[in-house]
């Protein structure tokens, strides 16, 4: 309970009202209502799959998956990746809301389906593409179930990492010990879950690389490799040796190196590609890497 002696404590009102921004990074795009704020149709490219995204961990899941499918020889996985700038409110345009009423990236439009099929939520996109192309999701029931166990583990766990730990450690207007301690404890528990699983398994769901790895690596692999939140030292990432081994192996996959730069507009220039419309777009950025 809030303490009357603590000037930073907060007593919730009987009914919450949205009368001011909460402060911190991304505050200008947060609001308690859904729906479009402006008319803005989405562009449509030439390929069967149209992706509208940003190179965040959730967005990277989709582009890694598509690049893995292309590496496996599936020409039907060719895609256009258009940038959705969430700091500018692109996710609230009418076209994007029509594909994803939740206004979150990534969102996919499969124009090879009749009528065109919208797919939103990153886990749903991974599952949709895996089933469409028959790849990266085992068909044998036990192996398939284990893969889906870990896919849904990621979908349920990552909000504690991004919206919990990441927000209070990096983005909140002030740093408060209670939420940082609370979410640090949970993230270290999650890393321990992964570390124990990877002790006896090369990949997340067993001996085979699957959509479970593609879902988990952009969040937890990037975390231990110090690619998000600059928190590897704080979390003692070096102690999760099996997660580090796995994270480094996944990072070296050619499709991962390709997919992680798409729709990325920050960081080192050699790791940025605003939009992708052909394989040559990525080749031009990566060169011989």
């Amino acid at each position: 309970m809030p303490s009357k002696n603590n000037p930073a404590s907060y007593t919730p009102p009987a009914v919450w009202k949205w009368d001011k921004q909460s402060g911190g990074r991304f505050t200008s795009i947060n609001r308690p209502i859904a729906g479009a704020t402006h008319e803005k149709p989405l562009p449509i490219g030439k390929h069967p799959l149209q992706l509208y995204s940003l190179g965040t961990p959730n967005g990277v899941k989709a582009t890694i998956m598509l690049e893995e499918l292309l590496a496996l020889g599936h020409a039907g996985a060719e895609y256009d990746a258009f940038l959705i700038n969430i700091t500018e409110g692109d996710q609230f345009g009418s076209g994007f809301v029509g594909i994803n009423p939740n206004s979150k990236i990534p969102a996919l439009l499969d124009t090879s389906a009749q009528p065109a099929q919208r797919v939103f939520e990153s886990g749903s996109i991974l599952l949709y593409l895996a089933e469409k192309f028959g790849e990266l999701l085992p068909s044998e029931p036990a192996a398939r179930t284990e893969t889906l166990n870990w896919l849904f583990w990621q979908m349920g766990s990552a909000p504690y990492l991004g919206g919990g730990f990441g927000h209070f450690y990096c983005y909140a207007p002030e740093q408060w010990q209670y939420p940082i301690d609370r979410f640090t404890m949970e993230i270290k528990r999650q890393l321990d879950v992964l570390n124990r699983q990877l002790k006896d398994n090369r990949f997340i769901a067993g001996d085979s690389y699957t959509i479970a790895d593609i879902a988990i690596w952009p969040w937890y692999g990037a975390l231990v490799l110090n690619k998000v939140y600059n928190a590897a030292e704080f979390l003692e990432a070096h102690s999760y040796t099996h997660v580090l081994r796995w994270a480094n192996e996944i990072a070296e996959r050619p499709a991962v190196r390709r997919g992680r730069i798409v729709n990325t507009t920050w960081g080192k220039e050699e790791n940025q590609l605003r939009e992708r419309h052909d394989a040559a777009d990525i080749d031009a950025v990566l060169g011989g890497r």
Side-chain angles (χ1 to χ4, degrees):
M1 295 295 292
S3 168
K4 292 182 179 180
N5 297 321
N6 182 356
S9 64
Y10 168 67
T11 301
V15 178
W16 183 84
K17 298 293 185 182
W18 183 46
D19 57 4
K20 63 180 179 179
Q21 297 290 354
S22 60
R25 191 175 174 186
F26 305 122
T27 187
S28 63
I29 63 171
N30 292 325
R31 58 196 184 113
I33 54 175
T37 61
H38 59 283
E39 289 295 320
K40 186 178 182 180
L42 289 175
I44 298 288
K46 62 185 178 180
H47 294 304
L49 299 172
Q50 301 296 301
L51 182 69
Y52 305 95
S53 192
L54 183 67
T56 65
N58 281 335
V60 163
K61 294 179 200 175
T63 49
I64 288 175
M65 180 66 175
L66 290 164
E67 291 296 328
E68 293 283 7
L69 291 170
L70 291 171
L72 289 167
H74 292 282
E78 270 293 355
Y79 68 103
D80 294 276
F82 292 97
L83 181 71
I84 297 297
N85 189 335
I86 62 172
T87 62
E88 298 295 325
D90 290 350
Q91 70 275 33
F92 300 121
S94 58
F96 188 84
V97 173
I99 294 180
N100 185 356
N102 196 39
S103 292
K104 303 290 184 181
I105 62 93
L108 181 74
L109 187 67
D110 183 357
T111 65
S112 69
Q114 295 299 324
Q117 177 66 56
R118 73 178 187 181
V119 193
F120 61 90
E121 293 298 327
S122 58
S124 181
I125 291 173
L126 293 180
L127 183 56
Y128 178 84
L129 292 172
E131 292 183 331
K132 179 179 177 71
F133 293 101
E135 300 281 7
L136 301 169
L137 177 62
S139 57
E140 190 277 322
R144 175 186 170 87
T145 299
E146 183 68 3
T147 300
L148 294 180
N149 287 342
W150 287 103
L151 173 65
F152 286 100
W153 177 89
Q154 187 278 319
M155 299 300 290
S157 297
Y160 288 97
L161 175 52
F165 175 78
H167 175 77
F168 287 105
Y169 186 76
C170 283
Y171 302 140
E174 297 180 53
Q175 290 190 312
W176 298 294
Q177 183 177 355
Y178 173 77
I180 291 175
D181 283 352
R182 169 67 180 87
F183 288 112
T184 298
M185 179 178 64
E186 173 60 12
I187 297 316
K188 287 181 71 68
R189 188 194 68 81
Q190 291 177 5
L191 287 171
D192 192 45
V193 169
L194 292 175
N195 205 53
R196 292 169 186 268
Q197 175 68 8
L198 288 164
K199 179 181 178 181
D200 300 314
N201 296 281
R202 180 181 177 187
F203 297 108
I204 292 293
D207 294 332
S208 298
Y209 177 73
T210 68
I211 57 174
D213 300 282
I214 297 174
I216 294 170
W217 184 85
W219 282 105
Y220 296 89
L223 182 69
V224 298
L225 294 175
N226 211 34
K227 302 297 185 182
V228 294
Y229 308 133
N230 195 30
E233 180 181 6
F234 180 72
L235 294 169
E236 296 181 298
H238 67 276
S239 66
Y240 303 100
T241 55
H242 306 296
V243 179
L244 274 169
R245 183 269 307 162
W246 164 82
N248 280 301
E249 180 176 354
I250 301 299
E252 291 303 311
R253 293 181 66 88
V256 173
R257 293 201 303 269
R258 295 175 69 83
R260 66 181 302 185
I261 72 169
V262 178
N263 296 142
T264 296
T265 60
W266 59 86
K268 295 181 180 179
E269 188 173 346
E270 61 266 28
N271 293 326
Q272 296 182 29
L273 179 61
R274 183 180 178 86
E275 294 189 353
R276 185 266 191 208
H277 300 289
D278 284 297
D281 296 336
I282 299 178
D283 296 338
V285 175
L286 293 181
R289 288 189 287 152

